[in-house]
Amino acid sequence: VATSIELDAMRRAIARSALGLGTTSPNPPVGCVVLDPAGRIVGEGHHVRAGGPHAEAHALAAAGTAAAGGTAVVTLEPCNHHGRTPPCRQALLDARIARVVVALVDPTSREEGGIARLRKAGVDVEEGVLADEARLVLGPWLAAQERGRPHLSWAYRLDDHGLSPVGGPALDGLRRSYDAVIGPDGRVGEGVPGGHNPADVRLDRYERFDEFAGLAGPGALAGLYDAGVRTALLHGGAALAEPYLAADVLDEVIVDLALGAASARPPTPDLHSAGPVLVPPGFRLQATDRHGAVVRVRARRG
Ligand SMILES: [Zn+2]
């Protein structure tokens, strides 16, 4: 059973892992906190970009020898394969970590997963710790793996004039969390505007995204997935979103509701001719947060 110190460390690891959103794909955004035998945080880290060190490697590097006999708290099962970086289960063993606390098991773990190998080596492993909370960050990546297409969100604004694409600072803030943005003209671009992404990833993506310029649509999603895209944001009005809704591949809507008056008769929205007035049919509210005069609503399908 995880201790309260480990639960707190897991929540810290989950929160930190969100800093990798938009830049780690096709790898998952993972966070890790290392505790020494007395339960003190001696290192933490998150995966920043594909090809770079994994979260565990960052956290262990920060901890140094203080990790010996300690606990690694990590949001996803440590990897067990030699990719562009050495397997994390070996790094954990080399650091003489005694216990590993994991939130979610990696569905892509090749052959034998990292958990099994760690246990064989005598490490105490606890899995499924705060799994639901870890899905707040890893959920879209996991869903993309399952479906073989990017997790797709659509952001729009509803105000006294009806529905319009989210723009300005609201869009800038949102798009950084996504691998790709599908624009009003159907073109595919980076989620993170140029200059903020590590250079190799950006180049990689530009070259491959060129193939999808002007080709976006439900039929292009599998190709985007193959190009490494795990999350995508629809940036446009109802006309852009309609085919994705019809194909049942829209997973989430983010609505900025800007209705100032306490009493009003709203205009007919152009989302569908027959409604809905806020979110598409079949979507359920997940969060409503007030930002000044705007309420940001998140809703998911199902
Ligand atoms: Zn790893």
Side-chain angles (χ1 to χ4, degrees), residues 172-228:
D172 292 343
L174 273 176
R175 65 184 300 156
R176 286 170 195 279
S177 298
Y178 291 86
D179 299 336
V181 174
I182 299 171
D185 54 0
R187 291 181 66 92
V188 180
E190 291 181 291
V192 180
H196 296 278
N197 239 359
D200 58 336
V201 174
R202 194 168 78 238
L203 182 62
D204 216 20
R205 288 188 176 168
Y206 267 137
E207 284 175 355
R208 289 188 281 188
F209 278 4
D210 274 352
E211 300 167 26
F212 299 99
L215 294 175
L221 291 177
L224 281 174
Y225 180 89
D226 290 341

Side-chain angles (χ1 to χ4, degrees), residues 90-294:
Q90 192 57 49
L92 292 163
L93 293 174
D94 292 346
R96 294 169 47 222
I97 286 287
R99 176 169 156 84
V100 176
V101 178
V102 174
L104 292 161
V105 174
D106 184 357
T108 67
S109 55
R110 285 154 209 166
E111 298 157 21
E112 201 177 24
I115 288 176
R117 291 293 296 269
L118 287 165
R119 281 190 177 133
K120 253 182 207 168
V123 177
D124 178 34
V125 182
E126 181 134 356
E127 59 185 81
V129 175
L130 299 184
D132 287 347
E133 292 176 51
R135 277 194 196 89
L136 285 174
V137 178
L138 279 164
W141 183 86
L142 290 166
Q145 297 293 135
E146 267 173 35
R147 296 167 186 159
R149 64 163 176 82
H151 185 268
L152 193 63
S153 303
W154 175 32
Y156 52 91
R157 177 184 168 91
L158 282 176
D159 58 22
D160 294 334
H161 305 288
L163 188 154
S164 58
V166 165
L171 175 64
D172 292 343
L174 273 176
R175 65 184 300 156
R176 286 170 195 279
S177 298
Y178 291 86
D179 299 336
V181 174
I182 299 171
D185 54 0
R187 291 181 66 92
V188 180
E190 291 181 291
V192 180
H196 296 278
N197 239 359
D200 58 336
V201 174
R202 194 168 78 238
L203 182 62
D204 216 20
R205 288 188 176 168
Y206 267 137
E207 284 175 355
R208 289 188 281 188
F209 278 4
D210 274 352
E211 300 167 26
F212 299 99
L215 294 175
L221 291 177
L224 281 174
Y225 180 89
D226 290 341
V229 174
R230 296 295 177 267
T231 58
L233 178 70
L234 285 180
H235 170 230
L240 174 68
E242 197 63 54
Y244 296 93
L245 271 168
D248 216 18
V249 292
L250 186 66
D251 301 298
E252 181 187 35
V253 293
I254 301 159
V255 190
D256 280 352
L257 191 61
L259 304 174
S263 172
R265 173 178 289 189
T268 305
D270 56 358
L271 181 52
H272 284 292
S273 50
V277 293
L278 181 63
V279 299
F283 281 64
R284 297 163 65 100
L285 298 189
Q286 301 292 322
T288 55
D289 296 298
R290 181 182 169 184
H291 300 274
V294 174

Side-chain angles (χ1 to χ4, degrees), residues 54 56 78-79 85-88:
H54 292 183
E56 298 93 319
C79 64
T85 58
C88 289

